Amino acid sequence: FARAQLQTGGSPEKVLASIDSGLQACRDLPSLHNLNGRLHAQAKDYAAAEKAFARAVALDSTYLAPKLNQALISTQQKDLPTAKKRFDALIREQSTLGEAYSGRGVVLLLKGDFREALNDFQRARKIRPKDPQVFFLEGRALEGLQQADKAKERYCDAAKLGHRAAQKLCPEAS
């Protein structure tokens, strides 16, 4: 756009003003801050990731992705009380967000609350019936409840949907 302005005779001052305006608009894009946070999280710079996600939420309080990412980071850092609170808040805000139920289920699984984890994975499965990870996690919860046969069924369901780890746990997938 700036090049076109210059080529059509626009003054450098106007072009710079246009570029500055565009840069400011980009700085205020919640999705850009969310992406920045995800990259920091991948680099395990969780403080910078949290800051970027918080900025994204501050710019758009209805944007769920950075809130989900904050909850996932809390889970990765084993801050399970904070993770659970964040997933609870997401579910209150958007009760059809399967990832929030799965995430909360993982937190519950890590805490050893297999029954509640199973409930969350079953809710997630209703929302995301083709998500192999949900079937796999449901199998983990069933294993924790000492329901090996049902766990194997879920692992096989996950394997049929292409989940690699589940394929090793499902004799029929071999």
Side-chain angles (χ1 to χ4, degrees):
F1 179 71
R3 184 181 302 161
Q5 281 184 321
L6 279 173
Q7 290 173 345
T8 59
S11 72
E13 293 79 16
K14 279 190 168 187
V15 173
L16 282 174
S18 177
I19 289 172
D20 286 341
S21 172
L23 287 173
Q24 184 58 44
C26 286
R27 275 187 228 116
D28 291 339
L29 281 175
S31 58
L32 184 63
H33 291 280
N34 186 57
L35 176 60
N36 186 29
R38 288 178 56 207
L39 293 171
H40 281 294
Q42 286 179 353
K44 302 212 183 317
D45 184 353
Y46 297 119
E50 283 283 355
K51 184 177 176 183
F53 294 139
R55 177 71 178 137
V57 172
L59 289 168
D60 182 355
S61 65
T62 65
Y63 188 27
L64 298 178
K67 295 175 184 181
L68 178 63
N69 288 327
Q70 286 175 315
L72 292 170
I73 283 177
S74 296
T75 305
Q76 288 173 335
Q77 293 183 295
K78 303 291 189 252
D79 182 357
L80 302 182
T82 299
K84 184 168 181 315
K85 286 178 192 172
R86 286 176 164 175
F87 285 120
D88 288 344
L90 272 166
I91 290 167
R92 279 192 305 275
E93 191 171 345
Q94 179 60 263
S95 64
T96 59
L97 188 62
E99 295 92 335
Y101 287 106
S102 291
R104 187 173 69 181
V106 168
V107 169
L108 294 166
L109 202 61
L110 291 170
K111 291 172 75 176
D113 190 348
F114 302 115
R115 173 75 48 215
E116 287 303 311
L118 179 62
N119 289 339
D120 273 351
F121 297 138
Q122 288 172 337
R123 287 184 190 120
R125 186 164 42 95
K126 287 179 184 172
I127 297 166
R128 301 172 58 93
K130 300 285 185 198
D131 185 341
Q133 182 68 9
V134 173
F135 285 95
F136 180 78
L137 291 169
E138 193 175 333
R140 289 289 189 211
L142 287 162
E143 232 179 273
L145 292 169
Q146 307 298 310
Q147 297 180 23
D149 289 342
K150 287 183 181 179
K152 187 179 109 183
E153 287 176 27
R154 288 297 168 255
Y155 292 141
C156 290
D157 290 338
K160 288 174 193 166
L161 293 170
H163 195 285
R164 286 196 178 136
Q167 290 170 353
K168 295 175 186 169
L169 299 170
C170 176
E172 292 95 53
S174 301

